[in-house]
Amino acid sequence: MTSNGPRTRHVTTDRLTVHLTDLRDEGEPVVFVHGNVSSSAFWRTTLSRLPGRYRPIAPDLRGFGGTDPLPVDATRGLRDHADDLHALLTELGAGRAHLVGWSMGGGVVLRYLRDHPAAVRSVTLVNPVSPYGFGGTHGVGGVLNSADGAGSGGATASPEFVKRLAEGDRGEDSPVSPRSVLAGCYVRPPWRPAPEDEEAYVESMLSTRTGDGHYPGDSTVSASWPGVAPGTRGVLNSLSPLYFRIDDLHLIDPKPPVLWIRGDADVIVSDTSLFDLAHLGATGAVPGWDGTPAQPMVAQTRHVLDRYAAEGGAVREVVVPDAGHAVHLERPEEFTAALLALLESTRA
């Protein structure tokens, strides 16, 4: 079956029922994995840019979009999502696939690659979460700031943002409304999506299930600054370095080629992230800062990929100037050119 535009459907696997967006049933599979507080809707404009010899597939992760809202076991890191993805690709008969992961989706793709290297043709990381999780570490090697993961996990989310998500807020009267976060953090101001696209992205954000088992997850009290540590359930806890840590990627065999593409104006995944409590503490935005250094997220990713390259893996880093976190939306031509160059290189 061939389609001229994106279609949506549900596929039931042995783990859950997945809602996905795709175009056709034939071609080399290229799987697009979305980030946190989003869904496959953020890939819709990307899918149609691929030539017909590729089969683009964009699933919603559990708890996002139209996929079953199963709770997230944070102690497995991002393995719930990676195992869901593996079950989906098995059900689709996709075989070896190209994987593209944005933000948290980059972490899902890294987890999948670590667990199933022979099933991966190539990997594209788009402003990915650090291989050492989000928050709570320092240094390029991802050393924990505290044994309990203080500074990462469910309690690091803005309660007001979570409230507005749960209430379905579509306005822009607060800097922490979903639309404001989209315009101010997902992309680099003053760029904004076309109005119809922006509405679709806001609706996508609002599809996020909230609560202890979903976004942001539960939390515990810590004796270490900033006084909170991860719980065991939910999305942000699954990103904590207590549970998500990939520091042995260089050991996998085979080693598919990796493209790392990022906007240099990203404020979410950054060495000075506006979502990292340690960086915010240094700026005075979070009180009582004890000198805990900011997490060098970009430097950590480079460290892991440099080790991968040193052990024989092909790695290419593409930095898009003046682009933010959603570089595939802001600079689609540059993003697609870099992606297609990678995909074509695997056909040689």
Side-chain angles (χ1 to χ4, degrees), residues 242-260:
L242 273 189
Y243 310 124
F244 176 69
R245 183 180 184 88
I246 298 181
D247 53 7
D248 58 353
L249 193 69
H250 57 289
L251 299 180
I252 67 170
D253 182 43
K255 291 182 174 65
V258 175
L259 167 65
W260 175 25

Side-chain angles (χ1 to χ4, degrees), residues 138-212:
H138 65 273
V140 297
V143 178
L144 283 172
N145 296 335
S146 175
D148 63 0
S152 67
T156 64
S158 161
E160 181 65 18
F161 176 65
V162 177
K163 178 175 178 287
R164 287 173 179 263
L165 275 180
E167 293 175 347
D169 177 18
R170 293 169 176 79
E172 201 172 356
D173 64 330
S174 164
V176 293
S177 69
R179 189 181 300 274
S180 296
V181 171
L182 170 68
C185 300
Y186 280 32
V187 300
R188 181 177 188 263
W191 187 90
R192 289 184 79 147
E196 63 274 17
D197 290 333
E198 179 168 304
E199 293 307 315
Y201 300 147
V202 171
E203 291 302 316
S204 169
M205 295 172 72
L206 294 175
S207 76
T208 302
R209 299 336 190 262
T210 57
D212 286 351

Side-chain angles (χ1 to χ4, degrees), residues 224-226 287-293:
S224 301
W225 185 89
W289 182 58
D290 64 352
T292 298

Side-chain angles (χ1 to χ4, degrees), residues 29-115:
V30 184
V31 184
F32 295 86
V33 185
H34 66 81
N36 199 5
V37 191
S38 65
S39 73
S40 61
F42 276 78
W43 292 116
R44 287 183 67 91
T45 59
T46 303
L47 303 188
S48 299
R49 290 177 168 269
L50 293 192
R53 60 182 170 273
Y54 296 109
R55 178 189 181 188
I57 303 166
D60 293 339
L61 299 175
R62 64 168 62 193
F64 300 95
T67 290
D68 284 349
L70 299 185
V72 174
D73 179 354
T75 66
R76 304 188 74 231
L78 292 172
R79 202 172 250 128
D80 272 357
H81 295 308
D83 287 354
D84 291 347
L85 182 60
H86 187 256
L88 172 65
L89 296 184
T90 299
E91 184 66 29
L92 293 176
R96 293 177 65 230
H98 302 279
L99 302 181
V100 184
W102 169 49
S103 194
M104 183 182 79
V108 175
V109 164
L110 285 173
R111 181 73 267 168
Y112 190 103
L113 173 63
R114 183 64 188 87
D115 292 347

Side-chain angles (χ1 to χ4, degrees), residues 3 24 28 63-64 78 114 120 129-130 145 152 156 187 192 208 219 228 291 300 314 345:
S3 173
R24 47 188 166 264
E28 287 185 20
F64 300 95
L78 292 172
R114 183 64 188 87
V120 180
V129 64
S130 164
N145 296 335
S152 67
T156 64
V187 300
R192 289 184 79 147
T208 302
S219 63
V228 294
Q300 288 175 351
S345 73

